[in-house]
Amino acid sequence: MSFRPALIALTAALALAASAPAQMAVPPGSGDTFKDLAPLKDAEASLPAGKRVAIYEFEDLECPACAHAFPIVHLAVDHYKIPLIRHDFPLQMHIWSRDAAITARFLQDKVSPELAEQYRLDVFAAQMSINSKDDLQNFTRSWFQKHGKPMPFALGPDSLFGLEVQADYRLGERMGVQHTPTIIVLGPHGWVQVVDVSQLYTVIDQTLAQTPAAGAAHGTIKKPATTGQH
């Protein structure tokens, strides 16, 4: 199954299998007070030419709420043709999340970004059956065999890919990220934290409507969750 149909299938499966409390990181109507907004401002300033909006996310591959959000985020990226600025934020309580993120970074840097996204999608789909580092190792070995790729050797925390994941984690700590997923919609005049991922399309629509290219007057974006303005 190719990546986009697999996203749609995972969305449907998770909608049926997951309970409402497991699908959300924090209650709707509440949000985070970030202690350092410079990374958001830097990301907004560095958006590619012609891209007015982006999704900025901190993700944990062992997090059930991230598994629920992943296909919704990626279908939104595909639908609106906007960038995804993703950072790995493996929570301390999760025993195999960092290892999975390191493997995903290896695939992204050394094999192909598309295959890296497929690995993340497949990890999320198999999440409930991965209960240990050994389970993850067995899953990953089988996954590489299925995709006809050699299994990487010694992808530890001190590897280049481990250091990339650690840099993401430190960025999240600097900002004051408390949970995963942390999903933010960036626009040219501010940002909106999407606490309830079911509101993602609404927030993107509102953000696009506030951009100069949309011909709308500058103003505050309507907030389903929490906002930050420059």
Side-chain angles (χ1 to χ4, degrees):
M1 184 182 294
S2 63
F3 184 61
R4 193 173 190 281
L7 281 175
I8 296 171
L10 181 58
T11 304
L14 288 168
L16 290 173
S19 64
Q23 294 171 0
M24 294 163 45
V26 291
S30 63
D32 301 314
T33 301
F34 298 112
K35 59 187 180 183
D36 186 350
L37 299 179
L40 296 178
K41 295 177 181 179
D42 291 344
E44 291 166 14
S46 63
L47 288 179
K51 298 296 183 183
R52 299 169 288 146
V53 174
I55 298 174
Y56 190 94
E57 180 182 20
F58 286 89
E59 176 182 275
D60 178 328
L61 284 163
E62 200 172 340
C63 163
C66 292
H68 173 71
F70 183 89
I72 298 171
V73 168
H74 281 262
L75 290 172
V77 166
D78 182 60
H79 176 76
Y80 290 99
K81 310 302 180 188
I82 59 177
L84 170 62
I85 305 169
R86 180 188 44 233
H87 300 288
D88 284 298
F89 196 74
L91 299 174
Q92 300 287 345
M93 69 185 83
H94 288 158
I95 58 177
W96 55 259
S97 176
R98 184 177 297 272
D99 291 349
I102 291 171
T103 299
R105 286 303 185 91
F106 163 80
L107 287 165
Q108 178 178 315
D109 293 352
K110 295 297 184 182
V111 183
S112 80
E114 182 176 8
L115 206 56
E117 294 306 300
Q118 187 66 54
Y119 177 78
R120 289 178 184 270
L121 175 67
D122 292 341
V123 169
F124 281 135
Q127 195 179 68
M128 298 302 292
S129 65
I130 303 175
N131 299 306
S132 67
K133 288 194 172 193
D134 286 342
D135 286 349
L136 176 69
Q137 183 76 358
N138 292 333
F139 169 87
T140 300
R141 184 180 297 107
S142 175
W143 190 93
F144 272 84
Q145 290 173 349
K146 176 182 176 182
H147 289 85
K149 303 295 180 183
M151 182 78 173
F153 177 73
L155 292 182
D158 294 329
S159 67
L160 170 63
F161 318 105
L163 294 176
E164 289 177 352
V165 171
Q166 182 64 11
D168 274 3
Y169 185 82
R170 287 176 178 166
L171 178 67
E173 285 190 314
R174 172 185 159 194
M175 285 180 58
V177 171
Q178 298 294 318
H179 58 81
T180 56
T182 292
I183 301 171
I184 295 166
V185 175
L186 299 177
H189 304 296
W191 55 270
V192 179
Q193 184 184 1
V194 180
V195 179
D196 182 349
V197 73
S198 71
Q199 296 297 309
L200 179 60
Y201 278 63
T202 300
V203 174
I204 294 173
D205 285 337
Q206 292 169 347
T207 305
L208 286 169
Q210 297 292 334
T211 63
H218 296 177
T220 302
I221 299 169
K222 186 177 179 182
K223 301 172 283 190
T226 184
T227 65
Q229 299 293 330
H230 296 183

